[in-house]
Amino acid sequence: MADAIKVLLVDDHQVVRRGLRTFLEVQDDIEVVGEAADGAEGVALAGELAPDVILMDVKMPGMDGVDALRRLRELEHPARVLVVTSFTEQRTVVPALRAGAAGYVYKDIDPDALAGAIRSVHAGHVLLQAEVAGALLSQEDAGPGTGRAGALTEREREVLGLIADGRANREIARALVLSEKTVKTHVSNILMKLDLADRTQAALWAVRHGVSG
């Protein structure tokens, strides 16, 4: 399984981890490389195992998911984090996404849809269920993204619109007939100009301000 997506499970409930592992282990392209019972253990294992994707709960004893997300971003090669939780409140959803989660789904998600979600965030997509995106878009505080759309070039707006559509850099490069390296440069410039931390925030900023691909 040399090309399999390496997944780390971080959840304080053993029965949840066991259920996730049982399902994921039958997927030909997904390999569960480890399990952690809290955020601190998850961060430590992420540094040791270098997973591609981390499935992580938000509410855990000790270091919770939001703090763990902030710590994970400090790693040399941070994994993409897909939050899998039963909590739907805005006070839980919004901090997790602002801390860098690549996606947010609920624990009652269909198993096949979860496998698809793992593949999607691994490919560089931003994955939000409709009500989760709505929770973020309803936030009216200034927060991240205080930059102005007018600071973006026409090409950067095109790239931003495609990010909002959930496109990975390779797909954006193909759509705009650019090199992937050039797309990465545009993405970096967009984040800097709009004072955003990551692609998730960029996608939500684009939706909020009507920038589409």
Side-chain angles (χ1 to χ4, degrees), residues 4-7 24 27 29-30 52-55 79-83 101-105 109 111-129 162-171 199-200 203:
I5 301 170
K6 296 185 293 183
V7 173
L24 294 176
Q27 305 297 313
D29 60 340
I30 296 174
D52 299 307
V53 176
I54 299 174
L55 301 189
R80 301 277 287 171
V81 178
L82 178 62
V83 172
Y104 196 113
V105 297
I109 186 173
D112 289 331
L114 177 60
I118 292 171
R119 298 181 185 108
S120 181
V121 298
H122 178 249
H125 295 262
V126 174
L127 185 70
L128 303 177
Q129 293 184 338
L162 291 171
I163 291 174
D165 287 342
R167 305 284 191 92
N169 285 350
R170 183 175 301 177
E171 295 172 308
R199 296 172 72 93
T200 302

Side-chain angles (χ1 to χ4, degrees), residues 16-147:
V16 172
R17 300 197 306 273
R18 184 178 301 151
L20 289 171
R21 177 183 282 275
T22 298
F23 168 70
L24 294 176
E25 283 182 340
V26 303
Q27 305 297 313
D28 293 336
D29 60 340
I30 296 174
E31 177 187 6
V32 177
V33 296
E35 298 181 22
D38 59 40
E41 185 181 7
V43 172
L45 283 178
E48 176 185 338
L49 302 173
D52 299 307
V53 176
I54 299 174
L55 301 189
M56 185 160 59
D57 197 1
V58 177
K59 296 295 185 181
M60 295 180 288
M63 182 185 293
D64 66 13
V66 174
D67 286 338
L69 276 159
R70 296 187 181 113
R71 292 280 300 279
L72 286 166
R73 288 170 64 173
E74 298 172 1
L75 297 179
E76 183 176 359
H77 300 291
R80 301 277 287 171
V81 178
L82 178 62
V83 172
V84 184
T85 187
S86 57
F87 291 91
T88 62
E89 300 93 341
Q90 288 189 21
R91 65 177 183 274
T92 301
V93 174
V94 174
L97 290 166
R98 286 183 174 168
Y104 196 113
V105 297
Y106 300 132
K107 286 183 177 177
D108 61 356
I109 186 173
D110 178 80
D112 289 331
L114 177 60
I118 292 171
R119 298 181 185 108
S120 181
V121 298
H122 178 249
H125 295 262
V126 174
L127 185 70
L128 303 177
Q129 293 184 338
E131 60 269 36
V132 174
L136 273 170
L137 293 174
S138 69
Q139 299 294 297
E140 297 181 353
D141 57 285
T146 55

